[in-house]
Amino acid sequence: DAEAAMVRDVRTMFYDILLAHAAVTVREESVAQLQALRVNAEAKFTNGKASEFDVITARVKLANEKPELLNARNQHDVALEGFKRLLNVTDEVFQVEGQLTFTPVDADLAILQEGALRNRPAVHYLETTAALKEQDVAAAKADYQPSISTFFLYNGANSYRFASYSSDWEWHWSAGGALQWNILDGGLTAGTVRQKRLELDKMRTDIEEFRKAVRLEVKQAYLDMMYARQTVEAGSGAVELAKKAMDIAKTRYGAGLATYLEYTDANLALRQAELALHLAMRGHMNAVARLEYAAGGDGALWKRATAK
């Protein structure tokens, strides 16, 4: 279970780093775009085609965006250091490579739930503990029955212990037996049996409750994955619309038909849509990792549950 949890944690933290890297890229693009806009506004102001307000606004927008870029880079570095600690390679210098992607997963929830009940190590642990407690009950009941013990001995003795002039050994067999039956023990046996039965009943109840919890955990992870999938699909459409709006605003601004503020608003809307999409993709990838863990981390089971 610890190994499966570690695999899940490595995957989710890896995706967190990819999200942080994507956020840095989006912020860098935004800064570059605002930098170009500032230069353009200053040039227009010099030629008398823009107001001083446009120039000041361009500088303010750029100045406000730079701290966001610095914060995104810091978040990326913090995520990378946390990943190093997780892998226990804090002294290593490396970069994480990869991209956030979206691959829809169509999984059979019933198959995953039943597989989780078979594969989760904690379920096996509880079932094994219950079997041991059944043996405890049987052992406690044994005190109701008589017990018979026997012994057989073959002894040798040397007379030198009593007569120093003789060293002869004498050998002989001895055997015996004993019958013991606790007919009256003041209810001790009955009490012990009841205690062991109560412990067994509690363990069986714990197993049933844990099985319900496993089913719920798998279902919750499944619902989280489906919600993240819908969010990605919606976010993809929002990015496409924001790109079109940005192109229109850029054309209008270049032709002098739109204000600088309209242009920067379109730029902000596009960056926000891109960040929201990256966040949704990270959420979907993490949800898939958590669902695989909840199902017991069985690759064969996952393939069967996701087979179309």
Side-chain angles (χ1 to χ4, degrees):
D1 188 63
E3 290 176 352
M6 178 60 68
V7 171
R8 176 203 60 197
D9 293 343
V10 169
R11 290 178 63 183
T12 55
M13 189 167 288
F14 177 79
Y15 302 147
D16 290 344
I17 295 176
L18 296 185
L19 174 63
H21 180 71
V24 171
T25 301
V26 170
R27 293 298 181 184
E28 288 176 342
E29 292 174 353
S30 181
V31 168
Q33 186 75 8
L34 292 174
Q35 179 74 24
L37 285 174
R38 190 208 67 182
V39 173
N40 185 272
E42 291 175 346
K44 284 187 174 183
F45 175 72
T46 301
N47 296 328
K49 296 181 179 180
S51 66
E52 184 180 5
F53 175 78
D54 289 338
V55 175
I56 294 175
T57 302
R59 292 173 178 173
V60 170
K61 291 284 186 180
L62 178 60
N64 288 338
E65 188 66 17
K66 286 182 177 179
E68 296 295 335
L69 173 58
L70 295 175
N71 181 63
R73 288 173 175 170
N74 179 66
Q75 293 297 323
H76 177 270
D77 293 340
V78 170
L80 187 59
E81 289 302 317
F83 192 56
K84 288 181 180 180
R85 288 196 298 271
L86 180 64
L87 301 181
N88 196 27
V89 289
T90 54
D91 295 332
E92 299 291 334
V93 178
F94 64 88
Q95 294 293 326
V96 173
E97 296 183 357
Q99 291 183 344
L100 292 172
T101 58
F102 173 60
T103 304
V105 176
D106 296 315
D108 190 313
L109 177 59
I111 293 178
L112 292 176
Q113 287 178 321
E114 293 303 317
L117 296 178
R118 293 193 304 270
N119 298 325
R120 290 286 289 269
V123 175
H124 294 298
Y125 166 75
L126 292 175
E127 290 176 345
T128 301
T129 303
L132 293 174
K133 289 189 176 299
E134 289 178 355
Q135 297 299 320
D136 288 343
V137 172
K141 288 182 178 180
D143 289 340
Y144 283 127
Q145 308 300 325
S147 61
I148 301 176
S149 60
T150 59
F151 65 90
F152 298 90
L153 299 174
Y154 183 60
N155 296 326
N158 191 301
S159 58
Y160 79 90
R161 295 177 56 190
F162 307 101
S164 58
Y165 53 84
S166 176
S167 61
D168 294 336
W169 285 79
E170 295 184 0
W171 297 88
H172 64 275
W173 286 92
S174 62
L179 173 64
Q180 183 177 359
W181 193 355
N182 296 328
I183 300 177
L184 299 174
D185 60 358
L188 177 61
T189 300
T192 302
V193 172
R194 283 196 299 269
Q195 177 186 349
K196 297 300 182 182
R197 282 177 175 171
L198 286 174
E199 293 175 357
L200 176 60
D201 292 341
K202 183 179 181 303
M203 178 56 63
R204 288 172 175 170
T205 301
D206 291 343
I207 291 175
E208 187 59 30
E209 291 299 321
F210 185 77
R211 291 171 68 89
K212 292 179 181 179
V214 168
R215 286 181 173 273
L216 180 60
E217 182 181 355
V218 174
K219 186 174 183 179
Q220 183 63 57
Y222 176 82
L223 294 176
D224 289 344
M225 182 187 71
M226 298 307 296
Y227 171 76
R229 174 176 177 174
Q230 295 172 358
T231 305
V232 171
E233 292 171 348
S236 299
V239 169
E240 293 301 320
L241 292 175
K243 286 181 178 179
K244 292 181 180 180
M246 181 65 180
D247 292 338
I248 294 173
K250 182 178 181 181
T251 302
R252 284 171 52 82
Y253 180 73
L257 300 176
T259 64
Y260 178 83
L261 185 60
E262 180 181 339
Y263 194 174
T264 54
D265 285 345
N267 175 75
L268 177 62
L270 175 58
R271 302 312 170 196
Q272 289 178 337
E274 289 176 337
L275 288 175
L277 178 58
H278 289 312
L279 182 63
M281 287 192 294
R282 189 281 305 266
H284 182 265
M285 297 172 77
N286 280 352
V288 172
R290 287 192 292 267
L291 180 58
E292 289 189 46
Y293 166 76
D298 188 339
L301 169 67
W302 182 255
K303 290 181 180 179
R304 184 164 62 91
T306 56
K308 295 183 179 179

